[in-house]
Amino acid sequence: MTPRPAARPGGRSARVQQSVHEAVRALLEERGRDGLTVPLVAARAGVTPSTVYRRWGDLQELLGDVAVERLRPEGEPADLGGLREDLEHWAVAFLEEMSSTAGRSYIRDALAGDPDGANAGRCSAYAVEQIETLLARAEGRGEAVPALDVVLDHVVAPMMYRILFRPGLLDPQYARDLVLTVFYRFMPLP
Amino acid sequence: MTPRPAARPGGRSARVQQSVHEAVRALLEERGRDGLTVPLVAARAGVTPSTVYRRWGDLQELLGDVAVERLRPEGEPADLGGLREDLEHWAVAFLEEMSSTAGRSYIRDALAGDPDGANAGRCSAYAVEQIETLLARAEGRGEAVPALDVVLDHVVAPMMYRILFRPGLLDPQYARDLVLTVFYRFMPLP
């Protein structure tokens, strides 16, 4: 089940989402995952358990929703004046965030109990949005730019694969090398 | 907690692993994930619950271990006489298996509750083994071969990223195109 989006910002639906998310974050910090239950979260958020069940389905779905929110980027990616610098800066920051203990745990939560891939799709949409901003900015400067899918397949995907499946092979230079690979091997001919 | 490897094949440890894994698979088929508990699994396997807890820690760890076993490739990858054909054939089969409903669910189970990445690392090791076999075979034939990490970063990782984060963008041609990309853009100069 996909959490329904808030009907309108500031409405009751948005207020419920905010207080439930805050309750989950506070309880996770105080007592960790074990022993977390929907009734506990509901009590802390000041809503009924059935409100939580109706909107999120179960605890796993709720944890996934909270995790995805935490993976939402804060603001626009930095503008350093050139696409290669911008992409390197973004990729190094992405790798650092996602490969942290917290980042890995959010990604695992986002993937768990997500049979239709809705939560995972939201994570990917965040990356797409940031990369599209960088590519549009570079085009506006008259730079040659790779296709969005090239950046996803050959920069984002390798980082995420190592984060999830080959931990221990991660450092900022790896992110920079992947960006360099796109510039050396995947740029369209002028 | 990482499941301890069987002490020796055919020993008591291996027999326990086999009967517990069989019990999990049978119960998953009969009743699905919901309601599965360690005592139920233990009863079906003819062992005590404490045997299961001692070896696997909890249900999530056990499900992860069973999932990884199911992702283990059966036998050597096909030998079609040339690296490009061999890699294409392997990549198409990998994508088909991993992107199936069952495959996705095994991957999610392997990743869930795997804080040290041991289960995920075993999944990646299976792919490494198969690709190394193909590369060694091609080298034996005197072919030029890409580095193992190139195949992992630019063929396996993009497939896995789409399987997990961008479902709906998967078809056999995507797998073949990734292999082609390695041959066009990543081969060492002769």
Side-chain angles (χ1 to χ4, degrees):
Chain A
M1 204 181 104
T2 311
R4 272 158 249 151
R8 57 200 156 84
R12 175 173 146 72
S13 175
R15 284 197 308 275
V16 166
Q17 158 146 347
Q18 196 188 342
S19 59
V20 169
H21 276 216
E22 274 170 15
V24 170
R25 289 194 295 264
L27 289 167
L28 281 176
E29 215 158 280
E30 285 166 28
R31 50 165 73 210
R33 180 79 46 88
D34 289 342
L36 202 67
T37 62
V38 167
L40 269 176
V41 170
R44 180 69 161 251
V47 301
T48 62
S50 68
T51 299
V52 175
Y53 289 122
R54 210 164 38 237
R55 177 149 173 173
W56 283 276
D58 62 18
L59 183 66
Q60 187 68 72
E61 298 269 351
L62 173 57
L63 288 172
D65 189 35
V66 171
V68 172
E69 276 302 307
R70 288 192 169 196
L71 293 170
R72 182 195 291 275
E74 289 166 14
E76 299 260 292
D79 185 348
L80 305 175
L83 181 59
R84 187 175 140 193
E85 294 73 15
D86 284 1
L87 265 180
E88 282 188 4
H89 186 267
W90 179 82
V92 167
F94 179 89
L95 184 66
E96 192 186 326
E97 264 178 58
M98 298 290 164
S99 65
S100 67
T101 306
R104 282 175 210 263
S105 142
Y106 300 151
I107 298 169
R108 277 198 307 265
D109 279 345
L111 290 173
D114 184 34
D116 61 357
N119 283 334
R122 284 162 64 203
C123 295
S124 174
Y126 293 153
V128 166
E129 217 172 280
Q130 299 265 302
I131 295 162
E132 276 178 339
T133 301
L134 296 182
L135 298 180
R137 212 184 262 161
E139 270 188 324
R141 284 188 297 241
E143 294 183 58
V145 303
L148 171 67
D149 271 351
V150 163
V151 180
L152 288 170
D153 285 345
H154 300 287
V155 177
V156 178
M159 291 196 290
M160 197 55 99
Y161 185 75
R162 287 204 180 181
I163 289 167
L164 290 175
F165 295 97
R166 304 173 81 199
L169 292 163
L170 298 165
D171 61 67
Q173 193 54 47
Y174 177 61
R176 283 190 285 264
D177 285 347
L178 289 169
V179 171
L180 204 59
T181 293
V182 164
F183 276 79
Y184 279 163
R185 300 183 192 259
F186 284 97
M187 289 304 273
L189 292 174
Chain B
M1 202 181 106
T2 311
R4 273 157 246 149
R8 58 199 155 84
R12 174 173 146 72
S13 175
R15 282 197 308 276
V16 166
Q17 158 146 347
Q18 196 187 342
S19 58
V20 170
H21 276 216
E22 275 170 14
V24 170
R25 288 194 295 264
L27 289 167
L28 281 176
E29 214 158 284
E30 287 166 27
R31 51 164 72 209
R33 180 81 47 87
D34 290 341
L36 202 67
T37 63
V38 166
L40 268 176
V41 169
R44 179 71 161 251
V47 303
T48 63
S50 68
T51 300
V52 175
Y53 290 121
R54 210 164 40 238
R55 179 149 172 173
W56 283 277
D58 62 18
L59 183 66
Q60 187 66 73
E61 297 269 350
L62 174 56
L63 287 173
D65 190 35
V66 170
V68 173
E69 276 303 307
R70 288 191 168 195
L71 292 170
R72 182 195 289 277
E74 289 166 13
E76 299 259 294
D79 185 348
L80 304 175
L83 180 58
R84 188 176 139 192
E85 293 75 15
D86 282 2
L87 265 180
E88 281 188 2
H89 186 267
W90 178 83
V92 168
F94 179 88
L95 184 65
E96 191 186 328
E97 265 178 57
M98 298 291 164
S99 65
S100 67
T101 305
R104 282 174 210 260
S105 142
Y106 300 151
I107 298 168
R108 277 198 305 266
D109 279 347
L111 291 172
D114 183 35
D116 61 356
N119 283 333
R122 285 161 65 205
C123 295
S124 174
Y126 293 154
V128 166
E129 218 172 278
Q130 300 265 304
I131 295 163
E132 276 178 338
T133 301
L134 296 182
L135 297 180
R137 212 185 261 160
E139 269 188 324
R141 285 189 296 240
E143 294 181 58
V145 302
L148 171 66
D149 271 351
V150 163
V151 181
L152 288 171
D153 284 346
H154 299 286
V155 177
V156 178
M159 292 195 291
M160 197 55 99
Y161 185 75
R162 289 205 179 181
I163 289 167
L164 290 175
F165 294 97
R166 303 174 82 200
L169 292 164
L170 298 163
D171 61 68
Q173 193 55 43
Y174 178 62
R176 282 190 287 265
D177 286 347
L178 290 168
V179 171
L180 205 60
T181 292
V182 164
F183 276 80
Y184 279 162
R185 300 186 190 256
F186 285 98
M187 290 303 275
L189 293 173

